[in-house]
Amino acid sequence: MPELVFFSGTMDCGKSTLALQITHNRSARGLVGVIFTRDDRAGEGKLSSRLGLVTEAVEAGEGMDLYAYLVDQLSKGGKADYVIVDEAQFLAPDQIDQLARIVDELDMDVFAFGITTDFRTKLFPGSQRLIELADRLEQLQVEALCWCGARATHNARTVGGEMVVEGAQVVVGDVNRPAEEIGYEVLCRRHHRRRMTSATSRAGSLSPDVLPVSSG
């Protein structure tokens, strides 16, 4: 039976790499997939992995009807056996409903990849709807690590290396950005709660709590 599967995890845990691997494996068996993405780090209409792999994709813009797009392609003689959706957290809830409709009415597997919560630990609307509708939820097994070495469970937005907790929910960025830019970092819950990034932890280590006092 076709399924709507939601693969979730923090940033930097290999979601896009797995999406590309599924595409490769199915293409090797002669299957044709349609790839949707939204606001990929490599630019519009791209599905990219931090390992350097990139493939073409359909940009699922705001207001786009994914079900209608697929039906139109099929009516024009196109072929599609399955659907990949990367950065699925950025989709609107009604677009997630359209993915479920693709599974139910077009009998295609849909594999959606995304992060569940934003930098404020709040659910993205698209991810919430996927949790509500998906036939299967899969937590990626490749664990991203916090700077302290613990398993990273939260996404943090940084400006100048410092964590911020206010601002628009969607600001496109990436991990490993220069410190002065808006970027993202994955943290364990403890250090997310303390707003302690790798940059601020280094600064803290250079500033001892107790200043040395000379005697004499």
Side-chain angles (χ1 to χ4, degrees):
M1 292 286 293
E3 291 183 305
L4 172 57
V5 187
F6 181 31
F7 294 90
S8 66
T10 62
M11 298 180 73
D12 213 19
C13 73
K15 297 182 299 299
S16 298
T17 301
L18 179 57
L20 288 163
Q21 185 66 55
I22 289 176
T23 300
H24 171 76
N25 290 351
R26 293 194 167 221
S27 295
R29 297 295 178 265
L31 299 176
V32 176
V34 172
I35 302 173
F36 293 109
T37 191
R38 176 87 168 267
D39 293 336
D40 186 270
R41 67 184 72 86
E44 185 173 319
K46 302 289 183 182
L47 166 56
S48 68
S49 162
R50 291 188 181 87
L51 298 182
L53 304 173
V54 183
T55 192
E56 297 297 318
V58 178
E59 185 73 12
E62 185 176 348
M64 180 180 181
D65 188 325
L66 308 183
Y67 175 84
Y69 174 89
L70 204 56
V71 169
D72 182 62
Q73 295 301 304
L74 294 172
S75 67
K76 293 178 180 177
K79 183 181 179 184
D81 299 300
Y82 64 96
V83 173
I84 296 280
V85 185
D86 199 30
E87 306 292 359
Q89 73 273 4
F90 295 145
L91 298 185
D94 62 332
Q95 290 177 312
I96 303 303
D97 287 356
Q98 294 156 17
L99 296 180
R101 189 179 179 191
I102 289 171
V103 175
D104 296 339
E105 298 187 17
L106 301 182
D107 292 326
M108 294 183 194
D109 284 317
V110 175
F111 305 103
F113 298 81
I115 58 180
T116 52
T117 58
D118 64 16
F119 69 104
R120 301 165 300 186
T121 71
K122 304 299 183 182
L123 282 169
F124 282 98
S127 297
Q128 178 177 333
R129 192 62 178 146
L130 274 165
I131 292 170
E132 293 166 347
L133 289 183
D135 298 293
R136 184 157 48 97
L137 304 174
E138 295 284 350
Q139 185 77 25
L140 266 68
Q141 299 303 308
V142 178
E143 294 182 346
L145 298 178
C146 177
W147 60 265
C148 69
R151 185 171 75 91
T153 54
H154 292 69
N155 304 292
R157 181 180 295 169
T158 60
V159 178
E162 295 190 2
M163 179 175 157
V164 296
V165 293
E166 295 182 353
Q169 186 175 52
V170 178
V171 175
V172 178
D174 201 1
V175 296
N176 301 321
R177 287 287 184 92
E180 64 274 10
E181 296 183 9
I182 293 177
Y184 290 90
E185 182 174 348
V186 289
L187 300 173
C188 64
R189 185 182 64 232
R190 174 182 298 177
H191 288 125
H192 192 279
R193 290 181 61 247
R194 295 178 179 177
R195 303 186 188 180
M196 188 177 290
T197 67
S198 58
T200 56
S201 70
R202 288 194 297 270
S205 68
L206 298 175
S207 303
D209 293 333
V210 180
L211 295 176
V213 178
S214 59
S215 59

